[in-house]
Amino acid sequence: MATPVAMTAKTRVEIQNASVAAQPMPSLLRRWARAALDGISESGNLCIRVVDVDEMTELNSRYRRKQGPTNVLSFAADLVAPDGDERLLGDVVICAPIVALEAEQQHKSPTNHFAHLVVHGVLHLCGYDHETDAEAQVMERTEVAILKGLGIDDPYRPIA
């Protein structure tokens, strides 16, 4: 995981909307991203881009060599400005139609599923991963704790 850098300014979360699909308000996206950073005592600026299926399919193919769209991709930067005052964590890209489809299939609130994917994506920018079982356990516990602080149920708990 990245080492926190002291910030002189409030964390900036830029929102880019490239989707016509339903999605949460930018203020909610920012709130969830900041909650993720607060939950792990990290700081830095980031961008959340909400896209449709075509753009996510292209990104998934180009950067992961996988066919079809996915729900969320993270592109970590971890760059510090020359003056040391700003740190850019990277970009989180979320496919709104896939989030809606998954929420329906999993019988989850689309808003809560979106929140989970924002938190998940931001944690990836901060060095969390789920390539091994041990990494996945740490990341999932962290996600669950952050989401609980937002009043959102454990997304990994089986639906009864």
Side-chain angles (χ1 to χ4, degrees), residues 69-72 94-110 113-114 116-117 159:
T70 189
N71 54 16
V72 62
I94 299 178
C95 186
I98 297 298
V99 174
L101 177 64
E102 288 177 349
E104 182 180 335
Q105 291 172 340
Q106 298 170 21
H107 308 287
K108 294 179 179 179
S109 152
H113 192 44
F114 228 107
H116 176 213
L117 294 176
I159 305 290

Side-chain angles (χ1 to χ4, degrees), residues 1 8 10 21 27 45 54 69 85 87 106 117 127 132 134 138 142 144 149-150:
M1 283 174 270
T8 58
K10 184 176 180 180
S27 60
N45 301 325
D54 288 346
D85 284 344
R87 177 178 175 206
Q106 298 170 21
L117 294 176
T132 68
V138 169
T142 305
V144 169
L150 291 165

Side-chain angles (χ1 to χ4, degrees), residues 104-151:
E104 182 180 335
Q105 291 172 340
Q106 298 170 21
H107 308 287
K108 294 179 179 179
S109 152
T111 301
N112 288 357
H113 192 44
F114 228 107
H116 176 213
L117 294 176
V118 168
V119 168
H120 184 89
V122 170
L123 290 180
H124 273 303
L125 296 183
C126 296
Y128 285 75
D129 213 335
H130 44 80
E131 293 296 316
T132 68
D133 287 343
E135 288 175 334
Q137 288 176 1
V138 169
M139 188 168 186
E140 288 175 14
R141 274 195 310 268
T142 305
E143 290 170 349
V144 169
I146 292 165
L147 292 168
K148 183 178 181 182
L150 291 165

Side-chain angles (χ1 to χ4, degrees):
M1 283 174 270
T3 304
V5 174
M7 301 287 290
T8 58
K10 184 176 180 180
T11 296
R12 286 190 317 228
V13 180
E14 178 184 346
I15 306 298
Q16 296 179 354
N17 182 1
S19 175
V20 297
Q23 60 195 268
M25 297 293 296
S27 60
L28 275 177
L29 297 172
R30 286 184 185 96
R31 178 175 176 242
W32 299 330
R34 288 183 178 125
L37 294 173
D38 289 346
I40 60 170
S41 300
E42 279 283 352
S43 61
N45 301 325
L46 62 110
C47 175
I48 298 173
R49 181 171 174 84
V50 181
V51 301
D52 282 326
V53 171
D54 288 346
E55 184 172 342
M56 185 59 94
T57 300
E58 168 63 23
L59 291 170
N60 204 26
S61 174
R62 181 183 303 164
Y63 294 103
R64 295 181 65 220
R65 308 277 188 254
K66 294 191 176 188
Q67 296 302 310
T70 189
N71 54 16
V72 62
L73 290 173
S74 296
F75 298 95
D78 197 16
L79 302 171
V80 178
D83 61 10
D85 284 344
E86 288 195 1
R87 177 178 175 206
L88 175 62
L89 294 173
D91 302 326
V92 175
V93 182
I94 299 178
C95 186
I98 297 298
V99 174
L101 177 64
E102 288 177 349
E104 182 180 335
Q105 291 172 340
Q106 298 170 21
H107 308 287
K108 294 179 179 179
S109 152
T111 301
N112 288 357
H113 192 44
F114 228 107
H116 176 213
L117 294 176
V118 168
V119 168
H120 184 89
V122 170
L123 290 180
H124 273 303
L125 296 183
C126 296
Y128 285 75
D129 213 335
H130 44 80
E131 293 296 316
T132 68
D133 287 343
E135 288 175 334
Q137 288 176 1
V138 169
M139 188 168 186
E140 288 175 14
R141 274 195 310 268
T142 305
E143 290 170 349
V144 169
I146 292 165
L147 292 168
K148 183 178 181 182
L150 291 165
I152 298 172
D153 289 334
D154 179 349
Y156 298 104
R157 189 183 76 233
I159 305 290

